[in-house]
Amino acid sequence: MRLAPWLTAVCLLTPWAAIAQTMPPAGPGPTIAAASAWVEEASTDCGDGPVCLGARFSLLNSAMAVFMGLPCTDAGSCGPAEIGLRDQATAVYTAVKARSRDARMPLTADALADSGTDAAGFSATLDSWISAGQGDCGLGRRLCVLGQLWLLTQADQAARSGPPCKEGADCQAARLTLMRQTDQRLDAPKRRILTLMPWPLSTTWGPAASNGAWLLVQHADADPAYQQRELGILLSQATLPPDERRHAAYLIDRLATAFQREQVYGTQGRCDERRWVLLPTRDPSHLDDRRHAAGLKPMAAYQKETAVLCQ
């Protein structure tokens, strides 16, 4: 489903405060039944290619996210069915990770960072992810889309940590350049992926895919009109699962600050002398109310988390 013409007008012309009020009602998140189906789907061996392994990583990460979000997990009271699902997902994940390691093919940004590779190896891996993340992958459409989205997301995240280098101004400048170059390289592939999906809701595609799509759209700052269109797709849903409500809130704020307007949910800030400073936000006295409605943490907790980015 693409963005309807009337909603395009809403996103382009309506004040940001009014756009926030168009947030669809909250809907249910992914179910344990969906997580079980994802584990079964990920248990199918589709080969050693990066897209196949990336799709399986995506499905398994989504299944584990559902399991970790169950109330019984925190309470330590999960029954045999839930524990069995967790154990099955863990076993399959271990096997897929071993396949990736044997092929000397890191398939997560964290694995690449921990691999000890030099700058040349880092760049080669980034290149391979971006190359595999576009075009025909030789798999069924769903696995292909999931795997390619996974690889593009990992490239996006790896570029933000950058290859190994000595700390200092030169290192930071090199990483910033890499991030900007990678965002440009990801522009066409991510647009193609999200045209095929068109948005991977967490209830059907899994939280890993939904989060990946949000990260890629959020980092398309060079084209706010594109971000507006993708935000419109989210806001056009009848209901939004919890993950997507948070994603929509971030995108609303991202666009508001891009157009130098007051943000609604207080998600955007900047570093000022090692302190994280909130960018202009409307009606601060009711900010936590709006954040709660969108499923976001209280502002004090969020500021404590983001402060580390400026250290």
Side-chain angles (χ1 to χ4, degrees):
M1 176 177 62
R2 301 311 293 169
L3 182 55
W6 69 267
L7 195 51
T8 301
V10 167
C11 285
L12 293 176
L13 302 176
T14 304
W16 288 104
I19 289 179
Q21 293 172 1
T22 70
M23 180 85 78
T31 64
I32 194 72
S36 180
W38 296 334
V39 173
E40 289 299 322
E41 191 175 3
S43 299
T44 302
D45 188 351
C46 51
D48 289 330
V51 176
C52 167
L53 295 178
R56 297 175 76 184
F57 269 124
S58 180
L59 290 164
L60 293 165
N61 274 272
S62 289
M64 289 303 294
V66 173
F67 177 81
M68 296 305 296
L70 293 174
C72 68
T73 301
D74 286 339
S77 59
C78 291
E82 292 84 2
I83 293 174
L85 174 63
R86 179 202 62 190
D87 292 345
Q88 183 184 1
T90 301
V92 178
Y93 185 86
T94 301
V96 175
K97 189 175 180 180
R99 293 278 285 273
S100 171
R101 184 178 60 249
D102 292 345
R104 297 183 180 180
M105 185 191 307
L107 289 175
T108 69
D110 288 342
L112 178 57
D114 294 340
S115 66
T117 187
D118 58 13
F122 183 96
S123 295
T125 299
L126 212 61
D127 290 345
S128 69
W129 286 347
I130 296 173
S131 177
Q134 49 192 317
D136 183 17
C137 67
L139 300 176
R141 175 168 171 152
R142 177 174 162 84
L143 282 180
C144 185
V145 169
L146 277 170
Q148 290 184 331
L149 177 59
W150 176 267
L151 295 174
L152 297 178
T153 303
Q154 300 313 305
D156 172 278
Q157 292 298 284
R160 279 161 168 76
S161 58
C165 64
K166 295 180 180 179
E167 294 298 328
D170 291 343
C171 176
Q172 295 302 319
R175 287 178 172 173
L176 183 59
T177 298
L178 174 67
M179 183 184 72
R180 289 172 175 168
Q181 291 174 341
T182 303
D183 284 348
Q184 291 176 349
R185 295 178 64 192
L186 291 173
D187 186 63
K190 70 186 176 188
R191 289 171 189 258
R192 169 184 168 273
I193 285 290
L194 293 181
T195 298
L196 295 173
M197 298 185 103
W199 188 279
L201 291 176
S202 58
T203 48
T204 52
W205 293 86
S210 178
N211 190 66
W214 163 64
L215 287 171
L216 292 174
V217 171
Q218 185 174 229
H219 295 155
D221 292 320
D223 191 353
Y226 170 70
Q227 291 176 315
Q228 286 176 324
R229 288 194 297 272
E230 296 301 327
L231 170 61
I233 294 173
L234 280 176
L235 297 181
S236 67
Q237 306 296 319
T239 62
L240 279 182
D243 283 354
E244 283 75 6
R245 289 178 67 79
R246 290 187 288 270
H247 297 162
Y250 271 87
L251 285 173
I252 286 170
D253 281 359
R254 194 89 166 191
L255 283 162
T257 56
F259 289 107
Q260 299 183 336
R261 295 169 175 166
E262 290 184 330
Q263 58 181 327
V264 179
Y265 297 101
T267 65
Q268 306 297 300
R270 61 179 176 84
C271 292
D272 182 11
E273 295 185 354
R274 303 175 72 86
R275 293 176 55 250
W276 189 85
V277 178
L278 183 67
L279 291 176
T281 305
R282 75 173 179 91
D283 190 13
S285 62
H286 294 94
L287 176 56
D288 271 343
D289 293 337
R290 297 193 300 276
R291 290 180 63 86
H292 178 74
L296 298 170
K297 296 179 179 180
M299 198 62 218
Y302 182 64
Q303 286 183 305
K304 185 176 180 179
E305 287 182 357
T306 52
V308 301
L309 300 175
C310 303
Q311 302 304 311

